[in-house]
Amino acid sequence: MIRKCLFPAAGYGTRFLPATKAMPKEMLPIVNKPLIQYAVEEARDAGLQHMALVTGRGKRALEDHFDISYELEHQIRGTEKEKFLAGTRELIETCIFSYTRQVEMKGLGHAILSGRPLIGDEPFAVSLADDLCLNLKGDGVLSQMIQLYKRYRCSIVAIQEVPRDQTHKYGVIAGELIADNVYRVSSMVEKPAPEDAPSNLAIIGRYILTPDIFDLIADTQPGKGGEIQITDALMKQAQNGCVLAYKFDGLRFDCGGAEGYLDATNFCYEHLYLKGL
Ligand code: G1P
């Protein structure tokens, strides 16, 4: 079964400069919790225990976050404030964290390939922490995708409908609807102009990947933006076998930019923070 989740987290976060100059974008807080922790909690809630982070230079705060801070914990022990660390502490105790570095920034496909030593030869999930996905009404997005994987046993990408004029920000799929909210992918294009987009179904930063994807990425030439794109490797997988796209239940906030970040903050403040969740 699926045990591991890979978190590509080496990117510079240029859309959020200067905040991300010396701080990883994955550490940006939504109210009082960093984006990476929301993503790790979603993976843990999906039953995944191995959290594999692909980091890079200037990203050490991520490792420190999922480690014990003895001085700080000693300082707040027995006080009101102890409860604020309980969630993080629980993750440290129940999950295994491993790290590797992406030495060169050659795209999301390359970041995933850099994580190969942490994953090995088994199916795994991928989560991009700056896409904050929440489902207050039921299972999280990764849980939903893992249930689907159990049925179909092939790679799956999460998708959402976006306005036509936004397709240039996403990988976009075309496919045949084979079950409720499930498409069998026939085509996939990375960040197409609206006139070239095969649909308005955009890939969101959650994937389930079968391990043959690694060799396919290794054989993938740089594509859009001169980067090695996971979308191109998945397209090859779709041609040789099967890739599914799943329109998930829940909300998604693009926290890599100011507008989505602000929406996420307002939403989480009202629906999670004020309710003590
Ligand atoms: C990446 C993927 C893209 C996907 C997006 C989701 O792009 O390359 O296919 O739609 O994540 O957030 P990025 O946003 O890293 O440029």
Side-chain angles (χ1 to χ4, degrees):
M1 250 349 282
I2 301 187
R3 306 182 302 146
K4 298 183 179 179
C5 188
L6 190 70
F7 299 88
Y12 297 128
T14 48
R15 282 194 288 157
F16 246 117
L17 284 168
T20 47
K21 183 163 181 278
M23 183 180 77
K25 64 174 172 170
E26 297 78 12
M27 287 302 294
L28 285 169
I30 301 296
V31 193
N32 63 339
K33 195 156 74 178
L35 280 166
I36 190 71
Q37 188 170 333
Y38 286 91
V40 167
E41 286 174 355
E42 182 195 333
R44 187 266 326 263
D45 292 346
L48 307 177
Q49 273 189 317
H50 293 244
M51 308 299 169
L53 281 79
V54 178
T55 68
R57 286 179 293 283
K59 296 275 189 166
R60 248 176 291 173
L62 289 167
E63 292 175 51
D64 290 339
H65 186 72
F66 296 110
D67 196 354
I68 294 169
S69 172
Y70 285 102
E71 288 149 9
L72 173 66
E73 294 191 29
H74 175 75
Q75 182 92 25
I76 64 173
R77 186 159 307 138
T79 74
E80 261 280 278
K81 291 178 181 150
E82 210 173 2
K83 64 175 185 286
F84 295 120
L85 277 186
T88 319
R89 192 69 201 245
E90 195 197 324
L91 291 175
I92 297 169
E93 281 162 10
T94 55
C95 304
I96 296 163
F97 290 86
S98 58
Y99 300 87
T100 190
R101 280 191 179 207
Q102 186 184 5
V103 177
E104 291 173 282
M105 296 303 123
K106 294 204 274 188
L108 180 57
H110 179 258
I112 293 173
L113 186 57
S114 305
R116 185 177 200 168
L118 302 180
I119 299 296
D121 190 25
E122 57 184 281
F124 61 104
V126 174
S127 176
L128 307 184
D130 52 8
D131 272 339
L132 175 61
C133 293
L134 296 169
N135 185 19
L136 300 186
K137 296 191 195 111
D139 290 341
V141 182
L142 280 180
S143 286
Q144 296 170 40
M145 293 173 79
I146 286 171
Q147 285 160 34
L148 203 63
Y149 176 80
K150 285 183 185 157
R151 191 156 152 218
Y152 292 96
R153 307 263 159 192
C154 62
S155 290
I156 307 170
V157 298
I159 52 165
Q160 216 178 28
E161 285 184 44
V162 297
R164 274 267 168 192
D165 63 358
Q166 301 286 305
T167 55
H168 64 285
K169 295 183 181 169
Y170 302 94
V172 178
I173 70 119
E176 179 201 351
L177 192 65
I178 57 165
D180 271 358
N181 299 318
V182 182
Y183 296 79
R184 188 187 168 117
V185 172
S186 56
S187 163
M188 226 175 201
V189 191
E190 181 66 11
K191 302 196 174 82
E195 59 274 21
D196 302 325
S199 75
N200 68 337
L201 299 172
I203 302 172
I204 301 307
R206 299 290 182 278
Y207 305 78
I208 302 289
L209 300 175
T210 52
D212 52 312
I213 197 71
F214 289 127
D215 284 342
L216 293 170
I217 301 172
D219 277 343
T220 298
Q221 296 305 311
K224 191 87 182 182
E227 298 188 329
I228 297 172
Q229 299 292 351
I230 186 64
T231 308
D232 296 340
L234 277 164
M235 185 58 217
K236 287 193 241 169
Q237 215 180 26
Q239 280 163 346
N240 301 337
C242 181
V243 172
L244 299 180
Y246 171 60
K247 214 195 275 180
F248 59 92
D249 283 336
L251 299 170
R252 172 257 179 179
F253 299 94
D254 171 13
C255 294
E259 201 186 329
Y261 181 79
L262 210 65
D263 289 346
T265 302
N266 287 325
F267 183 89
C268 290
Y269 180 68
E270 187 185 337
H271 296 278
L272 300 176
Y273 184 80
L274 286 182
K275 293 182 177 156
L277 298 172

